[in-house]
Amino acid sequence: MSDIFGKIIQRKISADIVYEDDLALAFKDINPQAPTHILVIPKQLIPRLSEATNEDSALLGHLLMTAKKVAEQENLADGYRVVINNGEQAGQSVDRLHLHILGGRRLSWPPG
Ligand code: 5GP
């Protein structure tokens, strides 16, 4: 787990962790783009959504349900957005699948 999020899972670098279970970890983004900006990651290394396989289906469902749970925990009842950037052109900068949860302000559409 030499990637930066792997190091957060292993507690080798610190993060503001808001949720953890056997399969997933959620922590505050270091460079928030909204009043609430949390990342949900699987503990199993999947570099990007496009590399997920059918065997990962239950885990992917778990990550979405984790996003829902974290949004409730963070009082985002007025609305929130869940984003996955897949690949360089989409702005993915960390090679471990992660879901962004963004909320706490009105979000424009379409994204840039
Ligand atoms: P991406 O651009 O890959 O979709 O999202 C990566 C996100 O990870 C960015 O929003 C960035 O701010 C966040 N990030 C990068 N390094 C760290 C870190 O060391 N700690 C935390 N908490 N967030 C990070």
Side-chain angles (χ1 to χ4, degrees), residues 13-61:
I13 63 170
S14 65
D16 193 344
I17 293 169
V18 298
Y19 176 85
E20 180 170 26
D21 63 26
D22 289 349
L23 301 175
L25 188 73
F27 52 93
K28 294 186 181 175
D29 196 293
I30 204 169
N31 182 23
Q33 301 302 310
T36 301
H37 186 174
I38 291 167
L39 303 173
V40 178
I41 64 172
K43 290 186 173 176
Q44 174 193 322
L45 177 56
I46 300 173
R48 55 192 56 79
L49 183 61
S50 56
E51 292 187 36
T53 67
N54 284 338
E55 282 71 53
D56 299 320
S57 296
L59 177 58
L60 295 177

Side-chain angles (χ1 to χ4, degrees), residues 4-5 27-31 39 85 91-94 98 100:
I4 196 131
F5 291 172
F27 52 93
K28 294 186 181 175
D29 196 293
I30 204 169
N31 182 23
L39 303 173
N85 295 323
Q92 182 176 2
S93 61
V94 176
H98 47 282
H100 297 256

Side-chain angles (χ1 to χ4, degrees), residues 23 40 56-68 97 99:
L23 301 175
V40 178
D56 299 320
S57 296
L59 177 58
L60 295 177
H62 182 77
L63 295 175
L64 264 187
M65 291 307 290
T66 300
K68 173 194 154 168
L97 174 65
L99 284 63

